Amino acid sequence: MATEAAGIDRPLLVDDFLQRRRYQLQLADAAADEHTLVCLPTGLGKTTVSLLVTVERLHEAGGKALFLAPTKPLVQQHADFYREALEIPDDEIVVFTGDVKPDDRAALWDDARIAIATPQVVENDLVGNRISLRDVTHLTFDECHRATGDYAYVYIAERYHADAADPLVTGMSASPGGDTEEIETVCENLGLVNVEVMTEEDADVDEYTHDTDVQWEQVTLPDEVLAIRDALNEVITDRLEKLKQLGVTNTTNPDLSQKDLNKMRGQLKQMMDNDQSEGYKGMSTHAEVMKLRRATELVETQSVESVRRYFERQREAARSSGASKASQRMVADPKVREAMRKAESFDGLHPKFSKARILLAETLGINEGERAILFTESRDTAEALVEFLSASFDVRKFVGQGDKDGSDGMSQKQQQETLDEFKAGEFEVLVSTSVAEEGLDVPEVDLVCFYEPVPTAIRSIQRKGRTGRQAEGKVVVLMAEDTRDEAFFWISRRREKKMASQLAELKEATDDIEESVGDEGQAGLDAFAGGSASEGDSGEGGSGDDQGEAEGEVDGDDEGEIGGDDEGDAGLTDFAAEAREGEDDVDDVEAEADGETEVEGETDAGDDGVVATAGVDEGVEVVVDQRELDSSIAKDLSTRDGLVTRLETLAVGDYVLSDRVAVERKSAADFVDSMLDSDRSMFEQVGELSRAYARPVMVVEGTNLYGQRDIDPNAIRGALASLAVDFDVSVLRTEGEEDTTELLATIAKREQETRDREVSVHGEKTTKTRAEQQEYVVSSIADIGPVTARTLLEHFGTVEAVMTAPEDDLLDVDGVGPVTAERIREVVGTEYE
C-alpha cells in the first residue's frame, strides 16, 4: 500500500478522509498479507486499520467484507464511520443486529458489500443456513479478546475458515489478554498466525497519546451502612457453619474468597453426582450464601438504594411460583429482615455519592472542564446517581437495551442520540454502565470516574481509553475502606501493570507467538477447512447445563459474586494484602448477579422463527427450534459434513429429523422439573408431539436422572413408563450434549438417507384410529390431557357420555378432582360467545 503526503488515497476511500498515520499504515500492510492480531491502545484507530485492509481486499479480491462488534451501539458506530469514509452506496453497507428480521437479513446479505453485525446474529444465521461466508474476503473481529470458550466469535471463525473461498481475518483489541497463553488461545480460536503490536512507547504512536493521571480516593462507610452489612454477615456465618458440617469448607468467615466458594460448589456438585442427598441441601445453602454476599457487596460498594432494590427483587422471587428454597429461606430469616428494615429506614447517602459530586464540581467548575464520565457496575446505582447529581449538573444515563427488573433500558436509537448530544456538548456528565467501555467512540473527556475498582485489567484499560487522547486527562477510582473495593484496588493495580508490561513483552515476543500459533494455527486451519469441529475451548464459557444441571433448589440462581481468588480465612484487610502478592486470578469475578451487572450485546439473537436458507442446501437436514440455540448442539450439527441445519420456531418439539420423527430434548433436571410444572406439563408437550408425528422421540440428557431434587425414583420411572406405554414415545438417554448431537445426526441420516424420507415441520402423522380420535376430542376439553381422557372414556364409554356427565359423576372417576370436574362442565355447558 503506497501512502500520500497529507491524506490517504485508496480505491473506494473518500479522498483525504483519513489522516495519514504511519503506524496505522504499517499495521494495515501487515494485516493485508495474512490472518493478523492487531494490538493498539484504545483511541488510536484500530477501526481505521481494519478499514484500510477492507478496501484493499474488496479492490483486489472482490467479494464482501464482514465486520463483527460485540454490541449494537458499536455496530452502529462502525457502520456510520464506514459509510462516511467509503465511496460505496450506503445501502451496500448493511447493519445486522437482532433489530433486523431474519428474512430481511437474508435478503440484505445477498446485496451487501460490507456487513457490520453483532456476532450472535451472524452465528444464528449460519446455524439457520440463512447466509453463506463463501464470498467473504475479509472478516474483522473487533474486541477480539472475547474469542474464548463458547463465545460466538469462536464458532464464526471456525465456519469462516471452513467455508470461505479466499479468507482473511483481522482481530483487533487494545487489551488482548492477561498473559501469552491467553493471547495464543485467542489467536488459535480465530485462526490468526501473525501478531502486530504498537504500544504508546512507539515513536509513531507517542505523538497521539498523553499521560492519564490515575488517583485512588478512599471513603469511609457510615455506621448505619456497616450495621446493614454486619447483620447480613451474621447470616452468612450461620450458613457457612452448615456447609462446614458437610465437610465442604473449614471456615465460617463471611469474607471468604470467590475461589473458596467455587471450590465448595465443586465439592457439592460431586456429592450430588454421587446421589448424596446432603449435596442438594448444601447446594441450596451455597446459593443462599451467594445471594447474601451479593447483598453485602451492594451495600458496601454501591449504595443502600441498590441493596433495597435487590431485596425487593428477592422478595418477589420468593413469592413467585417455583421459587427456590434458597430465596424463600433468605427473605424469611430474622437477621435478613432486620437488614432489610435498616436499609428501608436509612435516609443518608453512600459516601461515594458525595465524593463523586465533589470531583465533578472540581473538574467542571473550578478547573473549567467540559465533560466527564462516571462508570458504575450496577444499573440501579447508575439511575440513583443520575437522580442525585441532576441537582448540580446536567446529567444523562447511558445503559444497555434490555429491561432488567423494573429498570428501563435504552434503545439503540436512544443510545446513539445520547452519545451525539454528549459529543455536541449538550450536557456535561454521562453516567454509564459497562456498555460504554469497549470501543465506543465516546468523546474526549476531562474526567473518568470509576464508582468502584474494576478487578480485571481489560475492562479498566478500556475505560481509561476514554480520556487522555488529545490532552492530559484524569482518572479517579472511588474505594470504600475495609471492603472488597480494597482488594480490587490491589488486584487492579497489579493487573494493569502486568498488562502494560505484557503488551511490551508481547511486542518483543511476537516472533515466538507467531511460531507457536503458526504451527498449531496451520493445523487448525487445515481442520477448519476439513469441516471438523473445534474442541479446544468449547467448555470454558459454559453451555448453560454446566451451570444449572442437577442443582436442586439452586435453580440456576447463583449470584455471580465479585471477589478475589486468595487462599485462607483472611478478613478484608488481610485479603487485600494477600491480593497484592498472591495469585488472584479473578476472571470469574465478572459473572452476572441477578442482572445487576451490565454485559451488553450478549443476547442479540433477534430470531423470530422466520426461515430463509442460503449457503449449503444439499445434504441431510435438521430443523432446529430457535430456542435451542442456548445449547451447543445446533452449532455442532451445523459444522458437520453432509448436514444442513435450519432454524424455525417449532410448534412442537426441539428438533425435526424427518416427516415422521421429531425430538423433544430435556436435561435430567428439566425432565424432573417438567413433571412438576403445573402450567405446561411434560405430558401435554409430548401429547402434542405424538399427535403431530408418527415417531416422536424424547431425549433425556444427563447421567443423574434419579438424583434430581427430592423426587422418589419410582415416580421418575413411572413417568418414563407412561411416555413409552401411554404415549408411544421412544425415550432415549444420552450422557450430554455431545452424545445428543451424535444421536440426532445418526437418526437424521438414517431417516433421510436410508429410509429416503423428507423433512416436514408439520409432520406426517398416520391417520388416527377411532379410539385415538375419541381420546383426542376428550383430551382437548379444558386441556385435561390424554391420560385423563382415557380414564374418562373407560368410565363413561362414549364421548357423548363424558360431555353430558354431571359434575358429581365426573368426581367418581379416578384422577378427576373438583377443579378438573368444574372446568369440564364449564367448557361443555357454558354458552358460546
Side-chain angles (χ1 to χ4, degrees):
M1 297 184 189
T3 62
E4 301 297 329
I8 301 176
D9 183 16
R10 292 286 184 279
L12 304 179
L13 192 64
V14 172
D15 289 345
D16 296 331
F17 177 80
L18 295 176
Q19 178 188 7
R20 182 182 179 278
R21 294 187 180 184
R22 184 179 302 172
Y23 69 88
Q24 291 177 338
L25 294 167
Q26 289 175 345
L27 292 170
D29 280 337
D33 291 334
E34 53 189 339
H35 308 305
T36 300
L37 168 63
V38 174
C39 298
L40 190 64
T42 298
L44 293 173
K46 294 183 298 297
T47 307
T48 298
V49 174
S50 175
L51 176 70
L52 292 171
V53 179
T54 291
V55 297
E56 178 80 2
R57 287 290 284 175
L58 292 179
H59 178 66
E60 297 293 335
K64 64 181 67 182
L66 174 60
F67 188 112
L68 298 176
T71 67
K72 292 179 184 178
L74 268 176
V75 166
Q76 190 59 55
Q77 174 184 301
H78 291 312
D80 292 342
F81 174 66
Y82 268 58
R83 287 168 177 159
E84 191 176 0
L86 297 177
E87 296 281 7
I88 292 177
D90 284 357
D91 58 1
E92 293 182 16
I93 302 174
V94 301
V95 169
F96 271 32
T97 68
D99 294 333
V100 185
K101 291 184 177 180
D103 55 342
D104 293 337
R105 294 201 301 262
L108 287 170
W109 178 265
D110 291 337
D111 298 329
R113 292 189 72 184
I114 298 174
I116 302 175
T118 52
Q120 291 78 22
V121 162
V122 172
E123 179 181 68
N124 290 353
D125 285 349
L126 288 171
V127 171
N129 197 31
R130 298 183 185 119
I131 65 173
S132 169
L133 299 178
R134 178 173 178 78
D135 297 330
V136 175
T137 54
H138 185 218
L139 172 55
T140 299
F141 293 95
D142 191 23
E143 311 298 349
C144 69
H145 52 267
R146 290 171 173 252
T148 60
D150 63 353
Y151 189 66
Y153 277 1
V154 181
Y155 169 78
I156 295 169
E158 177 186 349
R159 288 292 303 268
Y160 181 57
H161 287 291
D163 297 350
D166 186 13
L168 180 68
V169 176
T170 302
M172 306 191 304
S173 179
S175 40
D179 55 38
T180 301
E181 185 176 345
E182 289 181 20
I183 295 165
E184 289 179 356
T185 296
V186 169
C187 289
E188 290 163 10
N189 286 345
L190 297 182
L192 306 175
V193 296
N194 180 42
V195 179
E196 296 291 331
V197 183
M198 291 284 185
T199 72
E200 294 182 356
E201 305 303 318
D202 288 301
D204 289 338
V205 177
D206 182 67
E207 63 180 293
Y208 299 102
T209 63
H210 298 274
D211 292 335
T212 299
D213 178 27
V214 182
Q215 299 176 8
W216 295 81
E217 294 282 350
Q218 194 173 60
V219 300
T220 302
L221 297 179
D223 291 341
E224 297 92 333
V225 173
L226 293 175
I228 299 171
R229 180 191 69 180
D230 293 343
L232 294 170
N233 278 341
E234 285 186 43
V235 187
I236 294 174
T237 298
D238 174 75
R239 301 305 187 261
L240 289 175
E241 179 61 42
K242 294 179 180 179
L243 292 171
K244 186 177 180 180
Q245 292 172 8
L246 292 178
V248 296
T249 181
N250 59 4
T251 181
T252 59
N253 190 314
D255 295 329
L256 79 172
S257 71
Q258 184 67 30
K259 184 176 182 179
D260 291 331
L261 286 165
N262 292 343
K263 185 178 179 181
M264 274 186 240
R265 182 186 175 87
Q267 291 176 278
L268 291 166
K269 183 79 162 58
Q270 191 172 25
M271 292 171 67
M272 291 163 57
D273 290 341
N274 294 330
D275 289 339
Q276 293 176 259
S277 60
E278 294 88 350
Y280 296 95
K281 295 176 182 177
M283 190 66 85
S284 183
T285 302
H286 183 278
E288 197 176 354
V289 171
M290 297 293 286
K291 292 173 185 294
L292 290 163
R293 278 176 56 91
R294 175 60 177 168
T296 61
E297 177 200 338
L298 289 173
V299 77
E300 283 182 342
T301 69
Q302 295 296 313
S303 66
V304 176
E305 174 61 24
S306 64
V307 83
R308 274 200 292 260
R309 296 188 187 189
Y310 179 74
F311 281 146
E312 180 57 37
R313 286 194 285 270
Q314 293 302 313
R315 280 194 293 261
E316 291 175 2
R319 290 193 293 263
S320 65
S321 61
S324 70
K325 289 183 179 177
S327 293
Q328 293 172 341
R329 273 198 315 272
M330 186 185 75
V331 299
D333 189 282
K335 284 289 183 183
V336 174
R337 288 182 174 275
E338 179 187 343
M340 290 179 181
R341 286 193 295 270
K342 290 179 182 294
E344 292 292 343
S345 62
F346 180 70
D347 58 0
L349 288 171
H350 194 288
K352 288 184 181 180
F353 276 60
S354 301
K355 179 62 72 173
R357 181 168 58 186
I358 291 170
L359 289 168
L360 290 170
E362 290 175 349
T363 301
L364 303 176
I366 298 173
N367 297 326
E368 299 182 344
E370 296 180 357
R371 285 184 291 258
I373 298 180
L374 178 56
F375 281 113
T376 177
E377 294 291 282
S378 165
R379 184 178 291 189
D380 286 342
T381 301
E383 293 175 344
L385 281 166
V386 169
E387 183 178 351
F388 170 68
L389 295 172
S390 292
S392 307
F393 309 97
D394 192 353
V395 186
R396 307 278 178 84
K397 73 176 181 180
F398 190 80
V399 300
Q401 298 184 58
D403 291 341
K404 296 188 179 181
D405 299 311
S407 174
D408 293 333
M410 295 176 66
S411 68
Q412 185 176 342
K413 180 180 179 182
Q414 289 173 322
Q415 289 175 336
Q416 192 59 52
E417 288 175 350
T418 300
L419 286 182
D420 290 342
E421 291 168 1
F422 192 45
K423 293 176 187 177
E426 294 183 24
F427 64 96
E428 54 192 347
V429 180
L430 185 71
V431 178
S432 175
T433 52
S434 59
V435 67
E437 288 176 21
E438 285 189 304
L440 270 182
D441 187 20
V442 178
E444 184 69 26
V445 294
D446 302 289
L447 168 70
V448 170
C449 180
F450 290 17
Y451 189 81
E452 64 282 297
V454 184
T456 57
I458 289 176
R459 296 179 68 191
S460 187
I461 286 176
Q462 296 286 4
R463 286 181 173 183
K464 288 182 191 176
R466 306 274 69 85
T467 187
R469 296 185 196 171
Q470 308 299 329
E472 289 190 8
K474 182 168 72 172
V475 172
V476 176
V477 184
L478 303 182
M479 177 172 60
E481 184 181 3
D482 193 29
T483 70
R484 290 172 180 80
D485 278 353
E486 286 193 347
F488 294 163
F489 164 77
W490 296 110
I491 293 170
S492 181
R493 191 169 185 174
R494 183 182 67 82
R495 288 199 155 212
E496 289 195 42
K497 288 181 179 178
K498 182 179 178 181
M499 180 66 80
S501 63
Q502 191 86 48
L503 282 175
E505 292 171 9
L506 174 61
K507 188 174 179 65
E508 295 178 3
T510 51
D511 290 341
D512 293 336
I513 294 174
E514 287 170 2
E515 183 177 351
S516 173
V517 299
D519 295 339
E520 297 181 25
Q522 189 56 53
L525 292 178
D526 292 341
F528 283 147
S532 64
S534 172
E535 299 177 358
D537 293 282
S538 61
E540 291 181 22
S543 66
D545 276 354
D546 290 337
Q547 314 242 344
E549 180 191 351
E551 292 183 7
E553 301 299 336
V554 178
D555 229 12
D557 218 354
D558 292 46
E559 309 300 332
E561 161 107 31
I562 298 181
D565 267 0
D566 65 313
E567 301 282 0
D569 301 336
L572 283 169
T573 304
D574 293 334
F575 172 46
E578 286 186 17
R580 288 195 292 267
E581 303 171 5
E583 194 59 38
D584 38 51
D585 195 8
V586 292
D587 289 339
D588 57 336
V589 298
E590 298 188 51
E592 274 22 90
D594 246 13
E596 296 291 338
T597 303
E598 292 280 287
V599 178
E600 305 302 333
E602 295 291 338
T603 57
D604 185 26
D607 281 294
D608 58 7
V610 180
V611 176
T613 58
V616 180
D617 292 320
E618 297 180 357
V620 173
E621 185 178 41
V622 177
V623 180
V624 182
D625 184 82
Q626 60 95 10
R627 288 160 292 200
E628 278 288 292
L629 289 172
D630 288 340
S631 79
S632 63
I633 294 171
K635 288 186 286 188
D636 289 346
L637 288 170
S638 72
T639 62
R640 292 174 178 246
D641 286 336
L643 276 182
V644 178
T645 48
R646 178 158 60 95
L647 289 180
E648 273 209 40
T649 299
L650 296 175
V652 294
D654 296 318
Y655 299 89
V656 176
L657 307 181
S658 74
D659 58 349
R660 65 175 184 170
V661 178
V663 177
E664 179 76 22
R665 180 184 77 97
K666 290 190 181 298
S667 70
D670 288 340
F671 183 87
V672 173
D673 287 344
S674 62
M675 290 172 57
L676 310 175
D677 185 358
S678 60
D679 295 328
R680 178 175 167 79
S681 76
M682 170 178 60
F683 298 104
E684 291 179 15
Q685 291 177 306
V686 171
E688 293 175 2
L689 189 70
S690 64
R691 286 192 288 271
Y693 290 88
R695 297 287 188 271
V697 175
M698 166 75 79
V699 170
V700 182
E701 188 177 276
T703 58
N704 191 31
L705 178 60
Y706 296 107
Q708 302 299 317
R709 301 179 70 165
D710 294 324
I711 303 298
D712 186 339
N714 282 331
I716 298 174
R717 295 185 184 102
L720 294 171
S722 177
L723 290 173
V725 177
D726 297 330
F727 292 89
D728 198 23
V729 171
S730 299
V731 182
L732 305 177
R733 300 286 304 279
T734 62
E735 295 182 357
E737 290 189 356
E738 184 176 347
D739 193 15
T740 302
T741 303
E742 296 291 347
L743 178 63
L744 295 175
T746 299
I747 296 174
K749 289 179 180 179
R750 181 181 176 86
E751 282 290 287
Q752 296 176 45
E753 293 180 344
T754 306
R755 303 289 184 180
D756 197 28
R757 303 194 73 96
E758 300 291 330
V759 172
S760 170
V761 296
H762 304 294
E764 188 179 274
K765 179 68 174 175
T766 54
T767 302
K768 290 183 176 69
T769 65
R770 180 180 297 166
E772 286 177 328
Q773 293 179 56
Q774 290 170 325
E775 291 168 8
Y776 180 78
V777 171
V778 174
S779 69
S780 66
I781 303 173
D783 296 324
I784 63 175
V787 175
T788 305
R790 288 194 190 97
T791 306
L792 286 165
L793 285 165
E794 288 168 359
H795 182 88
F796 290 105
T798 66
V799 174
E800 182 180 17
V802 174
M803 298 292 190
T804 58
E807 190 171 325
D808 289 343
D809 291 347
L810 291 171
L811 289 171
D812 291 337
V813 179
D814 289 341
V816 177
V819 174
T820 302
E822 183 181 351
R823 277 169 36 212
I824 292 174
R825 290 308 313 151
E826 182 182 358
V827 170
V828 173
T830 302
E831 184 175 348
Y832 174 71
E833 295 179 1

